[in-house]
């Protein structure tokens, strides 16, 4: 498999919660957009949390909604080799500079790992001195959790970080 390079972080100085994925899937890399696969539940979950139809918005507007609420996005891996989109196929992964998160987002209150592969970095991210949680993956591969169950878990984390309100 060819070496793949991930997406740049979506993080501002006033970001309070960063959601860390593992590495963008093929659809996201092709579109150069986080969570671009039509069956990934990331954008529908956040839309349900905030009462906004994020799926109807262009990507730039979705990112503006995140920023307005203090939410950032990044991945634990900067690059890797992988055939397809499954985390289990990731090889020769190079991590992102997660230690830079405190500098990039001085208002950081919490980190949320989106799924198990990302959560493998919880020990490293816990060293940043903010609460770190593992969220159920929004990937279509995580079919064992219903949308409602994921929404409950995500709501609790977003409420704890103070990022559930209006933009």
């Amino acid at each position: 498999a060819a070496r793949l390079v991930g997406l740049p972080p979506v993080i501002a100085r006033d970001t309070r919660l960063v959601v860390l994925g593992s590495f963008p899937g093929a659809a996201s890399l092709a579109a150069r957009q986080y969570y671009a696969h039509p069956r990934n539940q990331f954008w529908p979950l956040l839309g349900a949390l905030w009462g906004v139809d994020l799926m109807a918005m262009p990507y730039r507007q979705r990112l503006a909604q995140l920023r307005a609420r203090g939410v950032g996005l990044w991945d634990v891996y900067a690059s890797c080799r992988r055939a397809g989109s499954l985390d289990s196929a990731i090889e020769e992964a190079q991590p992102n500079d997660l230690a830079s998160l405190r500098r990039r987002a001085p208002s950081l209150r919490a980190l949320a790992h989106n799924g198990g592969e990302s959560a493998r970095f919880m020990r490293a991210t816990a060293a940043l001195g903010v609460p770190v949680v593992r969220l159920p993956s929004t990937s279509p591969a995580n079919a064992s959790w219903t949308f409602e169950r994921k929404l409950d878990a995500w709501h609790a984390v977003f409420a704890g970080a103070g990022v559930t309100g209006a933009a």
Side-chain angles (χ1 to χ4, degrees), residues 118-154:
S118 173
R120 291 179 52 207
F121 284 78
M122 286 180 76
R123 185 174 298 150
T125 54
L128 296 173
V130 297
V132 177
V133 296
R134 175 182 173 171
L135 287 168
S137 175
T138 59
S139 166
N142 182 20
S144 63
W145 283 61
T146 65
F147 182 86
E148 292 73 23
R149 190 172 166 212
K150 289 179 190 178
L151 183 60
D152 288 344
W154 280 66

Side-chain angles (χ1 to χ4, degrees), residues 12-65:
R13 293 196 57 76
D14 61 349
T15 296
R16 296 186 306 276
L17 171 68
V18 174
V19 176
L20 291 168
S22 54
F23 190 79
S28 294
L29 289 173
R32 301 299 301 160
Q33 298 178 2
Y34 282 97
Y35 304 105
H37 190 287
R39 288 193 10 247
N40 191 295
Q41 294 179 321
F42 179 83
W43 296 112
L45 277 169
L46 268 57
L49 278 177
W50 296 334
V52 176
D53 187 0
L54 293 173
M55 294 303 292
M57 295 179 185
Y59 183 68
R60 291 174 67 102
Q61 270 189 272
R62 292 180 198 178
L63 295 184
Q65 289 286 323

